[in-house]
Amino acid sequence: SVISEDRIAKLEWVYLPLMGHHGHVPTVLNKNLITNPLFFVEVVKTAYPGKNESQQTLTEQELARCRCAHELLDSFRSLPGRKTSEQLDVAELKEWVETARSALLNCDRQGIGDDCIGRLLSCSPHGIDEAWPHESVRDLIEELASVELEDGIWCGVINSVGVTSRDPFQGGDQERTRARKYASFAEKTRNRWVRTTALLQRISECYVRAAAAEDQRAELRQDLSS
C-alpha cells in the first residue's frame, strides 16, 4: 500500500534525531511544515518551552529532539502559500498564519511563535508594486501589529545574507546598497502600510550601521598595511 505524505512526514520527524539533520530538511517534512500549521506549532513547542511552564531537566533524547526542532526552524526558508518565485496564494497564507497563531496562543507560545512566523514571512516575494514584502504580507504586519513577528522578519532578512566575500579594503559598499534598497521599499509603502514602513526603515538603518562598521575595518586594514 502507498504511504501518505503526512505519514512519511511524521516518520521523518520521529526519526530526525537519528538521521542527523545538519541543516538539511527532508523534502516531505519541509512540505508538511508549509502546508500543516499545526505541525509547525508542534515543532515550535518542541524547540521552545512555554512562557509559564516550569523549568525541567530534559532527558538526552528530549535534548536531541529539541536541537533538531531548532535546526529545523532555522533552516526552514519557505513561505506558506508561495507557489512560484513571485506568486503567492494570499488566502492560503492568511489561513495558515491564523491557524498557527491560534494554536500557539493555546499552548502558551504566542510570542516566540510570532517570531518564528516572522522568519517565514521574511521569505516573501516582492509585491505587484515591486516593493518588498508582498502586499499580503504587509497587510498581515499591519493587522497583527505584533512586535515579535516584526522582530522575526527583521532577523530573517539580516540572517538571509549569510557570509559575504569582499575586497578587504572595500568597506561597507555592499551594506550601503542593501540600505538604499530597503529605504526605497519604505518610500513605496509609507502611504498605506505604517508598521511595514517602520520595519523597512529599521532594516535600512541596520545596514547603514553595518556599513559604517565595515568602513572602520577597511580603514584599519589600510593603516596596518601601509
Side-chain angles (χ1 to χ4, degrees):
S1 61
V2 178
I3 303 177
S4 69
E5 284 195 346
D6 185 59
R7 176 64 175 160
I8 294 172
K10 287 177 181 176
L11 288 170
E12 287 181 342
W13 174 233
V14 168
Y15 291 108
L16 198 59
L18 301 177
M19 292 159 50
H21 176 40
H22 304 305
H24 171 70
V25 184
T27 304
V28 179
L29 193 58
N30 196 349
K31 185 177 179 180
N32 203 41
L33 280 166
I34 298 170
T35 58
N36 186 348
L38 296 181
F39 177 61
F40 169 81
V41 172
E42 182 183 340
V43 177
V44 173
K45 283 173 62 178
T46 304
Y48 300 99
K51 192 165 56 174
N52 298 313
E53 286 182 3
S54 58
Q55 295 293 324
Q56 57 181 5
T57 303
L58 301 179
T59 65
E60 240 181 86
Q61 186 178 8
E62 288 170 334
L63 281 171
R65 180 155 298 285
C66 181
R67 282 193 294 269
C68 280
H70 275 281
E71 290 178 7
L72 195 53
L73 291 170
D74 288 344
S75 61
F76 181 35
R77 300 290 301 166
S78 301
L79 182 67
R82 188 165 187 172
K83 303 304 180 185
T84 65
S85 60
E86 295 301 325
Q87 185 182 5
L88 187 61
D89 186 322
V90 176
E92 184 178 328
L93 172 63
K94 190 168 183 179
E95 182 181 2
W96 190 100
V97 171
E98 287 176 351
T99 303
R101 292 187 87 237
S102 176
L104 287 161
L105 177 61
N106 289 336
C107 67
D108 189 32
R109 286 167 176 81
Q110 186 174 27
I112 190 61
D114 272 1
D115 184 280
C116 292
I117 291 172
R119 291 170 192 249
L120 302 188
L121 294 179
S122 74
C123 300
S124 167
H126 289 66
I128 297 171
D129 59 2
E130 298 184 352
W132 183 93
H134 191 277
E135 287 87 351
S136 62
V137 174
R138 299 175 214 169
D139 289 341
L140 278 172
I141 292 171
E142 305 301 320
E143 177 187 341
L144 301 178
S146 167
V147 172
E148 291 87 355
L149 182 129
E150 291 158 17
D151 285 347
I153 296 174
W154 178 88
C155 191
V157 170
I158 301 303
N159 289 344
S160 68
V161 176
V163 178
T164 60
S165 60
R166 71 183 75 214
D167 184 291
F169 306 114
Q170 179 186 36
D173 290 349
Q174 294 181 28
E175 287 74 18
R176 269 185 288 276
T177 297
R178 295 189 191 100
R180 287 193 294 270
K181 178 176 70 173
Y182 285 99
S184 71
F185 293 156
E187 283 298 318
K188 290 187 175 183
T189 62
R190 70 172 59 254
N191 291 331
R192 180 175 168 188
W193 296 278
V194 177
R195 295 186 73 95
T196 303
T197 300
L199 174 60
L200 291 167
Q201 289 172 334
R202 177 184 167 196
I203 294 170
S204 177
E205 289 162 4
C206 179
Y207 281 123
V208 168
R209 291 192 296 272
E214 287 296 337
D215 287 344
Q216 290 180 342
R217 292 189 188 98
E219 289 174 11
L220 179 59
R221 292 187 193 105
Q222 188 70 51
D223 291 342
L224 291 173
S225 65
S226 58

